[in-house]
Amino acid sequence: MIKISDRVAGIEPSQTVRLDTQAKRLIAEGKSVINLSVGELDFDPVTEVVAAAHAALDNDPNHYTNPQGMEETRKAVCEYLQSTHDLTYTVNQILITNGAKQALYSCFQALVNPGDEVIVPVPGWVSYAEQITLASGVPVFTSTTDQFQLDIDAMAEAITDNTVGIVLNYPNNPTGAVYPQEDLEKVAQLAERHDLWIISDEIYERLVYGENTFVSFAKLAYERAIIVNGVSKAGAMTGWRMGYIAGSEQFIERCKSLQSHLAGNVANVVQEASVVALRLADKSTAEYLQKLKERRVYLMDWIKTESHLEAIPPQGAFYIFIDVTSLTHDSEEFCERLLNDFGVAIVPGKYFGKDGYIRMSFANSLANIEEACKRISNCVASYT
């Protein structure tokens, strides 16, 4: 029998990926399933991005390039951060990665020593805890407010001599919360007072609906901020796998060394196309943000008609986090019933650290969302 390391044996597979795979398998078998479990837009990249990928195929993209990323791609990231957030980075402060997920993994590997603690507000994305554990660190979960905003006092109380950093994700997956600048400033003060670094996962930063303005954490604590972002969500390019890290030159150099052993370079064709995606980010957002807003309004109106469901309007991203505690506190059982008996795939809040809630993606057509809501209403009725 092959011996498996304790490090890997103790890691759970991504539950969101598992659910998406299960839903797609049922669909392939001919079952009527509406898949609202996955975090990817139902739109295509803008035509210029696809054309750039085709053009790149003719530019001899078949050889290794710099593990840190092609200079043109890193320059495009710098230009984007400058034009969008008024942040100044050089190409030596940027690392191109295989999606934001690998960017986060590299950050934890570079920053966490055995026994180091990293604060993770919950509800939070499923991979943070597992990636911290893989780095031999300890994820320390802190609660958020009843509006899913940061609880600064809870974060402060969680800090110990072993704490080395805090993970932020906003707009948040799964709640859609966007953190106001005054709360982010308090986090920056905590980081300064306790000598902490902040990994700010800003992958949904372009998907905001107006209640709170998005402010990149690097605007408030440039030296302590490690920004993780990419083109997956804003560019409708999840399968292309292009993310990036922005941080100090010294930190990026360490991550580059890791990447040279871990993955080498990101696909050259993807990097060249991503230059166009970054430069046309405004156009991409304009093409689908209005549709996301319409779906959001529809879902909140539907929630009002369901006396057994409650939800806080998402301020960003494309998820709605629904409270089902008047029916059950077992979100996993609810989602299994919903999938097996009613043909809708959504994610239990348990996986994000908040049982009794479910995460529903509205990155799907309005017609599918309307049908899904009917099926969910039928599922709710089965409890009452």
Side-chain angles (χ1 to χ4, degrees):
M1 178 181 292
I2 297 175
K3 184 176 180 180
I4 303 298
S5 73
D6 293 339
R7 181 190 313 106
V8 172
I11 294 296
E12 294 293 330
S14 170
Q15 297 292 356
T16 53
V17 172
R18 181 186 66 79
L19 277 169
D20 178 49
T21 302
Q22 182 181 2
K24 289 176 178 175
R25 175 179 56 78
L26 291 171
I27 293 170
E29 292 173 357
K31 305 289 178 58
S32 174
V33 173
I34 300 172
N35 186 7
L36 303 180
S37 68
V38 67
E40 62 179 353
L41 291 168
D42 58 314
F43 307 111
D44 294 323
V46 294
T47 56
E48 292 91 337
V49 172
V50 178
H54 284 291
L57 290 171
D58 297 323
N59 294 334
D60 194 24
N62 304 309
H63 304 285
Y64 292 130
T65 53
N66 189 338
Q68 189 171 343
M70 297 167 69
E71 184 164 350
E72 182 184 12
T73 312
R74 288 181 284 137
K75 183 180 178 182
V77 171
C78 293
E79 292 171 350
Y80 174 81
L81 293 172
Q82 181 69 58
S83 63
T84 306
H85 302 298
D86 194 27
L87 291 168
T88 301
Y89 287 91
T90 69
V91 293
N92 292 331
Q93 292 178 275
I94 306 298
L95 176 73
I96 306 301
T97 62
N98 289 281
K101 185 177 286 189
Q102 191 215 321
L104 288 161
Y105 177 86
S106 296
C107 287
F108 294 127
Q109 290 293 323
L111 292 166
V112 175
N113 285 311
D116 284 348
E117 296 175 354
V118 181
I119 293 174
V120 182
V122 292
W125 185 51
V126 297
S127 291
Y128 296 135
E130 302 291 9
Q131 290 191 357
I132 292 166
T133 301
L134 276 170
S136 300
V138 180
V140 176
F141 303 110
T142 61
S143 62
T144 49
T145 71
D146 57 3
Q147 297 292 307
F148 299 125
Q149 294 293 320
L150 295 173
D151 186 333
I152 307 300
D153 291 337
M155 296 174 75
E157 291 174 6
I159 295 172
T160 71
D161 291 342
N162 294 323
T163 306
V164 296
I166 300 172
V167 177
L168 296 181
N169 169 222
Y170 63 104
N172 180 264
N173 176 8
T175 67
V178 178
Y179 306 142
Q181 182 169 335
E182 54 265 33
D183 286 353
L184 296 172
E185 288 173 347
K186 292 175 182 177
V187 175
Q189 292 166 9
L190 277 180
E192 184 65 30
R193 189 180 312 135
H194 296 280
D195 191 22
L196 307 177
W197 45 261
I198 306 293
I199 289 182
S200 188
D201 180 355
E202 302 181 359
I203 191 66
Y204 296 98
E205 47 108 3
R206 299 195 66 84
L207 306 179
V208 292
Y209 303 117
E211 287 83 353
N212 278 333
T213 302
F214 177 86
V215 179
S216 176
F217 195 80
K219 290 290 292 183
L220 308 174
Y222 183 86
E223 297 298 329
R224 296 191 177 276
I226 299 167
I227 303 302
V228 170
N229 208 327
V231 300
S232 292
K233 309 299 183 180
M237 298 167 63
T238 50
W240 296 57
R241 310 313 300 144
M242 205 296 279
Y244 61 84
I245 308 171
S248 71
E249 190 169 335
Q250 179 186 23
F251 173 70
I252 293 298
E253 186 64 30
R254 292 296 87 207
C255 289
K256 174 185 174 181
S257 296
L258 174 62
Q259 180 144 305
S260 70
H261 296 288
L262 179 65
N265 63 277
V266 174
N268 301 331
V269 170
V270 170
Q271 290 196 63
E272 291 193 33
S274 295
V275 171
V276 178
L278 288 161
R279 291 173 179 167
L280 294 181
D282 288 340
K283 179 179 180 180
S284 298
T285 304
E287 288 193 2
Y288 59 69
L289 192 57
Q290 184 57 41
K291 290 185 179 180
L292 290 176
K293 290 179 179 179
E294 292 169 1
R295 299 170 187 178
R296 172 179 176 262
V297 169
Y298 177 86
L299 284 169
M300 291 311 303
D301 287 343
W302 166 70
I303 289 288
K304 292 174 184 177
T305 70
E306 289 288 343
S307 59
H308 294 284
L309 303 178
E310 294 184 7
I312 297 167
Q315 299 172 327
F318 41 68
Y319 309 109
I320 182 169
F321 204 51
I322 303 173
D323 184 346
V324 297
T325 53
S326 70
L327 301 169
T328 177
H329 288 271
D330 189 342
S331 58
E332 201 167 29
E333 185 274 333
F334 182 94
C335 290
E336 287 176 0
R337 181 189 296 201
L338 181 61
L339 177 58
N340 295 326
D341 297 345
F342 298 92
V344 179
I346 54 180
V347 185
K350 176 182 178 180
Y351 300 158
F352 304 100
K354 189 73 172 178
D355 214 352
Y357 286 73
I358 56 176
R359 189 197 77 175
M360 179 179 180
S361 168
F362 53 93
N364 208 311
S365 71
L366 188 56
N368 280 343
I369 290 170
E370 290 173 353
E371 176 61 25
C373 289
K374 293 176 184 177
R375 298 184 186 189
I376 294 170
S377 293
N378 291 335
C379 183
V380 169
S382 72
Y383 281 89
T384 59

